[in-house]
C-alpha cells in the first residue's frame, strides 16, 4: 500500500498540503494532494482513515474520488471536470449576452421614443 511522506506539512511533491489561514480549505488543497488522496482510496484506504491522518473531511475525499472517476470514465452519472468548466463558461457568456440584449432593447426603445416625439 502506498504511503505519503509528511515532513512539516508537506507532501512528497514539496507543496504544503494544509490551507493558509483565512482561506477556504477546498480551494487551497493542491491538485497533487487531491490526486494522491484519490490514489490512496483506490489502493484500499478508506476516506475516513485518510481524513483522520491528513485533515480534509472524508466527504471531501469521497467527492474527489467521484470526480476523478467521472474524469477517468469509470462512471457516467455526472459531468466531467471539462464539461463543468464548459458549462460555467457558457453560463457566463449567456449572462453577458442577456445583459447586452437588454441594453440594446432599452437603447432602441429610447431612440424610437425620441423619433416619434420630433415635429415633422
Amino acid at each position: 500500500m502506498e504511503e505519503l511522506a509528511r515532513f512539516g506539512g508537506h507532501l512528497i511533491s514539496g507543496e504544503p498540503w494544509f490551507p493558509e489561514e483565512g482561506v477556504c480549505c477546498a480551494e487551497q488543497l493542491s491538485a497533487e494532494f487531491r490526486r494522491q488522496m484519490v490514489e490512496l482510496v483506490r489502493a484500499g484506504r478508506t476516506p475516513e482513515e485518510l481524513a483522520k491522518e491528513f485533515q480534509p473531511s472524508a466527504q471531501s475525499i469521497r467527492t474527489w474520488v467521484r470526480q476523478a472517476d467521472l474524469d477517468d470514465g469509470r462512471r457516467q452519472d455526472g459531468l466531467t471536470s471539462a464539461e463543468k468548466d464548459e458549462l460555467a463558461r457558457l453560463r457566463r457568456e449567456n449572462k453577458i449576452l442577456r445583459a447586452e440584449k437588454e441594453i440594446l432593447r432599452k437603447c432602441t426603445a429610447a431612440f424610437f421614443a425620441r423619433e416619434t416625439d420630433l415635429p415633422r
Side-chain angles (χ1 to χ4, degrees):
M1 211 180 288
E2 183 182 3
E3 286 292 323
L4 295 177
R6 292 191 299 164
F7 301 101
H10 294 261
L11 293 175
I12 297 167
S13 66
E15 294 180 30
W17 65 271
F18 51 85
E20 296 174 14
E21 280 190 44
V23 180
C24 177
C25 294
E27 294 174 10
Q28 284 299 309
L29 293 174
S30 71
E32 177 64 17
F33 174 76
R34 284 178 275 168
R35 185 191 61 74
Q36 289 178 338
M37 290 292 109
V38 169
E39 286 178 10
L40 289 171
V41 169
R42 288 178 178 168
R45 303 274 305 268
T46 67
E48 289 73 19
E49 290 173 21
L50 296 170
K52 287 178 186 171
E53 188 174 346
F54 295 103
Q55 299 304 311
S57 70
Q59 183 56 48
S60 292
I61 296 170
R62 280 191 289 276
T63 300
W64 299 337
V65 171
R66 181 180 185 277
Q67 190 61 53
D69 287 347
L70 287 165
D71 292 345
D72 295 343
R74 293 175 186 228
R75 44 187 314 166
Q76 303 295 320
D77 60 340
L79 298 175
T80 65
S81 295
E83 290 169 334
K84 285 182 180 182
D85 292 344
E86 181 181 14
L87 184 59
R89 181 187 61 77
L90 290 171
R91 284 181 173 159
R92 280 190 306 273
E93 186 178 321
N94 199 359
K95 183 178 180 179
I96 291 167
L97 291 171
R98 286 175 193 235
E100 290 173 350
K101 178 184 170 188
E102 184 63 20
I103 290 168
L104 287 173
R105 187 189 66 75
K106 288 179 180 179
C107 289
T108 303
F111 175 77
F112 283 113
R114 260 187 276 134
E115 286 292 317
T116 57
D117 289 345
L118 293 176
R120 293 189 186 237

